[in-house]
Amino acid sequence: KAGVTQTPRYLIKTRGQQVTLSCSPISGHRSVSWYQQTPGQGLQFLFEYFSETQRNKGNFPGRFSGRQFSNSRSEMNVSTLELGDSALYLCASRAEVRPGMNTEAFFGQGTRLTVV
Amino acid sequence: GESVGLHLPTLSVQEGDNSIINCAYSNSASDYFIWYKQESGKGPQFIIDIRSNMDKRQGQRVTVLLNKTVKHLSLQIAATQPGDSAVYFCAEIRNAGNMLTFGGGTRLMVKP
């Protein structure tokens, strides 16, 4: 069974540009979450999608957005990039055995975004 | 604000010794906890989880202990190996939600 796949692995962008990152969850997993990892702030939750709907959102500005497709694949977009957006962006997928039951989240390798 | 944190940023152990990594949480409503291992250049890897109705869970060479009275979580690694060198994170999920809140991480260094 393939794991969580994130593309691309590395990106270099210029301030002011926008970027789209992609995540393919484990087959059968309908919950996809995104996290930002930086040395200073650690791992911070961005948002979570389930069945094409955003179910939870972290404390990030509106420049950070996402969506989920009918096949559970997800994308996140960051517009008007700032230097501080440089980070490792991680995607995690979870199987929801039944509503409200917590299950482990499996992470992809991440996309390393560098804003210059 | 409420958060999940770690006592020690770096832990250095001798190969073959047991390692104990600690984590404190502040939300008594948290009902699910996970330990992750992250190696350089990789995403976090699931190690073991525990639900709030348990106080101990064992895996292969790893044991997680949960003390709800003092809101403390620990990860014990038996016979630590060089391959265990990584950063370890604890994470919590609150109230059957879907958002992981991570601690700051502890770097485990295994000396041969």
Side-chain angles (χ1 to χ4, degrees):
Chain A
K1 199 175 198 182
V4 179
T5 305
Q6 290 188 246
T7 57
R9 288 294 309 277
Y10 303 93
L11 267 178
I12 300 176
K13 289 286 188 177
T14 305
R15 271 183 303 174
Q17 287 186 313
Q18 67 93 28
V19 67
T20 299
L21 312 181
S22 180
C23 171
S24 293
I26 292 171
S27 177
H29 287 193
R30 295 161 63 192
S31 168
V32 175
S33 299
W34 289 89
Y35 294 82
Q36 181 196 64
Q37 186 175 27
T38 60
Q41 299 298 319
L43 278 152
Q44 293 188 293
F45 173 77
L46 280 156
F47 27 65
E48 187 237 357
Y49 287 87
F50 183 84
S51 292
E52 302 178 65
T53 301
Q54 187 180 89
R55 196 160 60 169
N56 290 286
K57 190 176 191 303
N59 296 321
F60 279 81
R63 299 185 298 107
F64 292 81
S65 63
R67 59 178 175 169
Q68 187 179 34
F69 302 95
S70 59
N71 61 358
S72 293
R73 189 178 70 86
S74 178
E75 291 181 344
M76 69 163 281
N77 185 277
V78 188
S79 62
T80 320
L81 283 165
E82 300 176 359
L83 296 178
D85 296 334
S86 295
L88 180 67
Y89 289 89
L90 291 158
C91 166
S93 80
R94 297 172 62 217
E96 191 149 307
V97 176
R98 57 176 183 269
M101 180 178 177
N102 289 317
T103 57
E104 62 267 31
F106 296 93
F107 284 83
Q109 298 276 52
T111 295
R112 173 72 63 184
L113 172 65
T114 302
V115 182
V116 297
Chain B
E2 295 173 330
S3 64
V4 177
L6 294 173
H7 296 305
L8 300 173
T10 303
L11 178 64
S12 184
V13 300
Q14 202 71 39
E15 181 179 358
D17 287 352
N18 296 334
S19 303
I20 300 176
I21 301 172
N22 296 302
C23 177
Y25 66 95
S26 57
N27 189 335
S28 57
S30 294
D31 58 2
Y32 183 57
F33 304 87
I34 307 175
W35 279 101
Y36 285 95
K37 171 188 180 183
Q38 188 174 25
E39 297 173 283
S40 181
K42 297 184 178 180
Q45 176 188 357
F46 172 88
I47 301 173
I48 192 167
D49 59 358
I50 189 167
R51 300 188 189 279
S52 59
N53 60 353
M54 303 169 69
D55 53 21
K56 181 179 181 179
R57 191 160 189 230
Q58 289 184 289
Q60 187 177 13
R61 283 201 306 119
V62 295
T63 301
V64 55
L65 298 178
L66 175 62
N67 186 330
K68 293 181 286 294
T69 302
V70 296
K71 300 189 188 68
H72 185 266
L73 193 68
S74 68
L75 176 70
Q76 300 178 358
I77 304 174
T80 313
Q81 302 168 0
D84 294 328
S85 294
V87 177
Y88 289 80
F89 294 94
C90 64
E92 64 172 326
I93 296 182
R94 305 171 182 179
N95 303 326
N98 300 290
M99 178 182 83
L100 286 167
T101 300
F102 284 87
T106 292
R107 182 174 299 281
L108 177 64
M109 299 175 62
V110 182
K111 297 177 287 185

